[in-house]
Amino acid sequence: MELRCLWCLHQWALWLLFVSYSCAFYIPGYSVKRYTDDESIPLLVNKIFSDHTQLQYAYYDLPFVCPPSGKTHGGSPFGSGHSVSLNLGEILRGDRIMTSDFELQMGKNVECQTLCTAEVGRKDVKWARQLINEGYVAEWIVDNLPGATSFVTVDRSRKYYATGFKLGSRDFSPIDGKPHYYINNHFTIVIRWRSAPEGGKLIVGFEIYPKSIRAEDHVENGCPKQVHEHHDGLELYIPPNTAKLREMYPGSSYIPEDDGVDDGTTLKIPYTYSIYFKEDNSIDWSSRWDLYFSNQDDSSMTHWFAILNSLTISSVLGVAVYVIWGRTVQGDIKGRGDGAMDEAKLKARSAAKAKAHERKGDGLLDQGSDLERDAELSSDDESLEDVSGWKLLHGDVFRVPEYSGLLAPLVGSGMQLLFMTSGLLLLSCLGILNPSFRGGFVSVGMGLFVFAGLFSGYFSARLYKTFGGANWRKNTLITALFIPGLTFCLIFILNLFVWAQASSTAIPFGTLIGLLALWLLIQVPLVYIGSWYGYVRTTPWEHPTKTTSIARQIPPQPWYLHNTYGPVLTGLAPFAVLFIELLFVFKNLWQDKSGYYYVFGFLSAVSTILMVTVSQVTIIATYSQLCSENYHWWWQSFLTGGSSAFWVFAYCIWYYFFHLHITGFVSSLLFFSYSFLACAVYGLLTGTVGFLTAYAFVRRIYRRAYVKRHLVPAFPIYFLCHLLALS
């Protein structure tokens, strides 16, 4: 009764979670916002980010920008500086969206409007120069479109957008070569619109053109003269207080210009903006995001090349698997006759052979009898010659591996990740998860991961029962706490470093408590339910052969089958399938920082081929290991499947040194820590695929060899593993 009530509560919780997500879905062509003339358009400010660092900052946390006044605009019930509610994905990606004091009205052009005049001290000027030096850009939002900097191709045939606009610029003096920093304090906002067939106007573009104008060029109303003419920039520079510095450094021949001491001297930065509305009927509302990706159209051929490369590698491995299955395994089975030479018969013949040799040595057999028995033994030897390689392991191949109590939870967690990844790719290909659903990829992924706790518990418990485990509740706790616990601890430790930098990349404490509650109060019970069903209500997977009481001795193995070299070498093939697409994924995650990865169709195709390749490589490696009379294939198949994670992490290191320009200890720590975490998750997923494929393959060949009937899978996923094994 208690279990049924608990299950009902989880059903209601999942239903409410689904409803909350469905309300946030933003499908192009349906969630349309139409504006009438003179209707207010809210402009939201978000954050600043850079390609040179992993630290982001909320826009209103910057001391050198106009602080929010708190006034309401356009009939909004919230004043400027009000935080917009964010989903989990937006919080985790560092978004901090707030309302602003910018006043935009549909169709109303504004030549110049004063925003404020900020007074900045020496420390704030120094920080602003540092941010400009590191290439930080700011992100504003209008009608769910991020403000963009507009570019055109070299031949001026195509236009594309880059998310955000620069905080300022840096220039070097031609006299002394010293850098000079200029802050952008005037913003020309261009809103592109088109008429809607149902009436009203649709926003199809949001462009920002920043400019630096020195304070002396501003008139009494705060706006500069001739806004769009050339102006000298406003330099971020406060002359040093020479008198005070001499007091601080008495008798010194060298007096620093800036020692970081704030003496009360400020720099006034006047902020202004202009607004222009332009009708543009060449852009459809449903395709308004295409401008953010048009600079990547030239990479389509590279994506197709990645798929062709993946198919080539997979085809070559498929031929090898076909040869193993169609020629070798089938030939071995046919060569066995009835294929039913059991272990007792083999032992009897071996004992008879040994006894005959012993009697011959004692001289108890005459010559005629010797010839007759030698003929019989020779016949036995010919029969035994067929029993070689993998067929000799029928009594040991399903022996429970060492540390089986760890293997079962790892496989269960891998199935959980496999379900989550498949769901994310499917929803992305259908267009439900798209760039306009800000933070949706992470939010939905978290929901799928929590729900997949059912699958994690089921597969872990059933495999644990197959291994002969008795304490299934202990296995459940390890499955539910081990991988998520290590991940949470790593993220919490990294969060301490980011908190010290006062960055918006840091996860708020309340969000951490929410994630902890989501893990312990929802996922852990779901894992328990799945484990209970997998252990109590189902039977263990049956093996076609019985395991002997005494393990056979494993002969010396070739160097390429050792635990160290084998998985590392076999991981090259899956990595070769993936590495071209990895370049685009890394560029999106670590350089563009926009989070608008859009080629999910290509990524899904490559991921599917990757899973098939992992299965093929695992089959080849497992068969080679069995032919070498090594029955320790359980862990080896898991490591073989996940071995490409080693090469992916090596690729991360190469990408860091040759493509990224990350500076600072914290940013480098974040890069390597999150790269390691991502590679560990990837290795766990592919390792699970490799293990299940090897398990299906081994059961299949021994069942065909010793039982002569096909395996009837007990679960649809297991049937899929058989298809992968035969692909």
Side-chain angles (χ1 to χ4, degrees):
M1 186 66 183
E2 294 178 356
L3 185 61
R4 183 178 298 176
C5 294
L6 183 62
W7 172 248
C8 293
L9 289 174
H10 283 301
Q11 281 186 324
W12 278 107
L14 291 173
W15 173 251
L16 293 175
L17 185 65
F18 173 78
V19 171
S20 65
Y21 281 150
S22 62
C23 295
F25 283 166
Y26 183 85
I27 302 176
Y30 295 93
S31 304
V32 181
K33 172 62 178 176
R34 301 177 182 86
Y35 295 91
T36 59
D37 289 335
D38 296 332
E39 181 179 354
S40 295
I41 303 174
L43 188 151
L44 309 175
V45 298
N46 189 6
K47 62 184 178 183
I48 63 172
F49 56 89
S50 171
D51 296 342
H52 300 281
T53 177
Q54 305 306 316
L55 300 177
Q56 306 174 97
Y57 299 95
Y59 184 79
Y60 275 148
D61 286 346
L62 304 178
F64 50 85
V65 302
C66 289
S69 63
K71 298 180 181 179
T72 59
H73 302 280
S76 173
F78 305 108
S80 61
H82 174 77
S83 296
V84 178
S85 59
L86 306 175
N87 58 44
L88 180 61
E90 290 176 307
I91 296 176
L92 294 180
R93 69 193 293 263
D95 288 349
R96 300 295 183 267
I97 303 177
M98 299 181 181
T99 56
S100 70
D101 286 306
F102 291 90
E103 298 181 7
L104 282 71
Q105 294 179 332
M106 175 57 75
K108 184 177 180 180
N109 295 333
V110 177
E111 183 71 19
C112 182
Q113 177 69 37
T114 301
L115 189 61
C116 79
T117 299
E119 294 189 6
V120 186
R122 292 186 184 274
K123 290 184 178 180
D124 299 335
V125 167
K126 183 178 180 180
W127 191 34
R129 294 169 61 146
Q130 179 182 347
L131 294 177
I132 293 174
N133 186 54
E134 293 176 352
Y136 272 88
V137 298
E139 180 183 352
W140 295 350
I141 302 171
V142 165
D143 194 40
N144 204 33
L145 281 177
T149 302
S150 176
F151 297 94
V152 294
T153 56
V154 178
D155 57 0
R156 298 184 177 274
S157 61
R158 193 167 68 249
K159 177 183 179 181
Y160 64 92
Y161 284 164
T163 304
F165 63 91
K166 292 185 176 182
L167 289 178
S169 59
R170 182 183 63 178
D171 193 12
F172 291 92
S173 172
I175 301 176
D176 54 8
K178 293 183 178 181
H180 295 267
Y181 298 90
Y182 302 90
I183 190 168
N184 292 324
N185 59 335
H186 180 80
F187 313 102
T188 300
I189 301 172
V190 178
I191 305 294
R192 299 188 178 273
W193 61 274
R194 65 172 299 158
S195 299
E198 300 83 2
K201 298 179 179 179
L202 305 175
I203 296 178
V204 295
F206 175 32
E207 303 169 5
I208 301 175
Y209 299 92
K211 189 177 183 179
S212 181
I213 302 177
R214 64 178 183 174
E216 290 78 5
D217 293 345
H218 289 69
V219 294
E220 294 180 357
N221 63 352
C223 287
K225 303 176 183 178
Q226 302 296 326
V227 176
H228 302 294
E229 298 295 330
H230 174 73
H231 295 272
D232 292 334
L234 176 60
E235 185 177 1
L236 288 170
Y237 177 73
I238 299 178
N241 190 337
T242 307
K244 187 172 182 178
L245 289 175
R246 289 188 181 278
E247 293 178 1
M248 297 178 60
Y249 300 95
S252 175
S253 59
Y254 170 75
I255 300 178
E257 293 186 4
D258 184 12
D259 61 350
V261 178
D262 199 343
D263 59 356
T265 307
T266 60
L267 173 67
K268 294 185 177 181
I269 305 177
Y271 283 94
T272 55
Y273 63 95
S274 304
I275 305 172
Y276 296 97
F277 290 85
K278 293 186 178 181
E279 185 176 6
D280 193 342
N281 294 318
S282 63
I283 305 174
D284 293 329
W285 188 90
S286 59
S287 60
R288 61 179 185 166
W289 283 89
D290 292 351
L291 288 174
Y292 293 89
F293 309 133
S294 60
N295 64 322
Q296 303 180 32
D297 286 344
D298 297 334
S299 62
S300 296
M301 284 300 298
T302 308
H303 289 293
W304 284 112
F305 176 75
I307 293 180
L308 180 61
N309 170 71
S310 305
L311 288 174
T312 303
I313 297 174
S314 181
S315 300
V316 172
L317 293 174
V319 171
V321 172
Y322 174 78
V323 170
I324 289 175
W325 181 259
R327 302 292 179 84
T328 307
V329 177
Q330 299 280 31
D332 286 346
I333 295 173
K334 291 179 181 178
R336 289 283 308 280
D338 60 355
M341 183 177 293
D342 57 9
E343 183 182 358
K345 192 173 182 180
L346 288 174
K347 287 185 176 180
R349 292 189 176 183
S350 299
K353 185 177 179 180
K355 187 175 181 180
H357 280 290
E358 182 180 355
R359 294 179 63 187
K360 180 185 289 188
D362 294 338
L364 298 178
L365 298 176
D366 56 9
Q367 186 176 3
S369 299
D370 287 345
L371 294 176
E372 181 179 354
R373 296 181 188 278
D374 287 343
E376 292 178 359
L377 292 175
S378 177
S379 176
D380 290 344
D381 290 341
E382 291 177 358
S383 299
L384 290 173
E385 284 178 359
D386 292 334
V387 188
S388 60
W390 62 273
K391 291 172 289 187
L392 291 173
L393 301 179
H394 64 90
D396 298 275
V397 68
F398 294 108
R399 189 176 300 278
V400 177
E402 294 181 352
Y403 308 107
S404 59
L406 179 61
L407 181 59
L410 290 180
V411 172
S413 299
M415 288 301 300
Q416 187 177 10
L417 293 171
L418 183 62
F419 177 84
M420 179 196 71
T421 306
S422 302
L424 285 177
L425 291 178
L426 178 61
L427 294 176
S428 300
C429 291
L430 294 177
I432 297 177
L433 299 180
N434 55 74
S436 56
F437 184 10
R438 194 183 308 273
F441 195 84
V442 177
S443 299
V444 175
M446 188 66 66
L448 290 175
F449 181 81
V450 171
F451 174 76
L454 288 170
F455 296 93
S456 174
Y458 173 82
F459 280 93
S460 175
R462 193 164 186 188
L463 185 60
Y464 180 74
K465 189 175 184 179
T466 303
F467 288 152
N471 192 353
W472 67 275
R473 289 183 176 85
K474 177 182 177 181
N475 178 76
T476 300
L477 289 178
I478 295 176
T479 305
L481 302 179
F482 182 58
I483 297 299
L486 290 179
T487 303
F488 184 84
C489 291
L490 176 61
I491 292 177
F492 180 77
I493 294 174
L494 293 176
N495 212 49
L496 296 178
F497 288 92
V498 183
W499 266 338
Q501 301 293 322
S503 170
S504 66
T505 310
I507 303 175
F509 183 75
T511 303
L512 285 176
I513 297 299
L515 290 174
L516 192 63
L518 193 67
W519 169 30
L520 297 179
L521 300 182
I522 297 181
Q523 186 206 347
V524 172
L526 288 177
V527 173
Y528 182 87
I529 294 173
S531 297
W532 172 82
Y533 186 83
Y535 190 90
V536 178
R537 300 299 298 273
T538 60
T539 59
W541 282 305
E542 296 181 358
H543 296 152
T545 62
K546 295 182 179 180
T547 302
T548 59
S549 58
I550 301 177
R552 64 182 290 114
Q553 186 176 0
I554 300 175
Q557 299 292 297
W559 67 271
Y560 54 84
L561 291 179
H562 288 178
N563 294 336
T564 305
Y565 304 108
V568 173
L569 293 177
T570 53
L572 282 173
F575 174 72
V577 169
L578 191 63
F579 83 99
I580 297 179
E581 199 65 34
L582 275 180
L583 183 64
F584 295 94
V585 176
F586 283 9
K587 185 176 184 299
N588 175 260
L589 290 178
W590 302 116
Q591 288 183 286
D592 291 346
K593 302 290 179 62
S594 59
Y596 304 138
Y597 189 83
Y598 74 106
V599 285
F600 286 103
F602 291 108
L603 185 61
S604 299
V606 173
S607 299
T608 304
I609 300 173
L610 173 67
M611 294 298 105
V612 175
T613 304
V614 168
S615 301
Q616 293 169 339
V617 168
T618 308
I619 289 174
I620 296 172
T622 303
Y623 181 75
S624 301
Q625 185 177 1
L626 294 179
C627 288
S628 298
E629 302 181 23
N630 184 355
Y631 54 86
H632 294 312
W633 59 272
W634 301 90
W635 277 105
Q636 195 74 0
S637 62
F638 186 87
L639 296 176
T640 299
S643 58
S644 57
F646 169 80
W647 296 104
V648 174
F649 187 71
Y651 188 79
C652 293
I653 298 175
W654 174 83
Y655 193 85
Y656 173 84
F657 286 105
F658 293 96
H659 283 269
L660 296 181
H661 306 284
I662 293 179
T663 58
F665 169 76
V666 176
S667 296
S668 299
L669 178 65
L670 290 177
F671 174 83
F672 285 108
S673 299
Y674 283 127
S675 296
F676 176 79
L677 180 61
C679 291
V681 169
Y682 164 79
L684 184 61
L685 191 153
T686 54
T688 300
V689 172
F691 171 82
L692 293 178
T693 304
Y695 192 26
F697 172 74
V698 173
R699 291 183 64 188
R700 184 83 171 189
I701 62 174
Y702 281 93
R703 183 173 292 274
R704 288 177 66 90
Y706 290 92
V707 185
K708 278 192 169 183
R709 59 187 177 90
H710 293 280
L711 176 67
V712 179
F715 200 76
I717 297 295
Y718 198 66
F719 180 68
L720 177 61
C721 295
H722 278 277
L723 294 180
L724 287 174
L726 297 174
S727 60

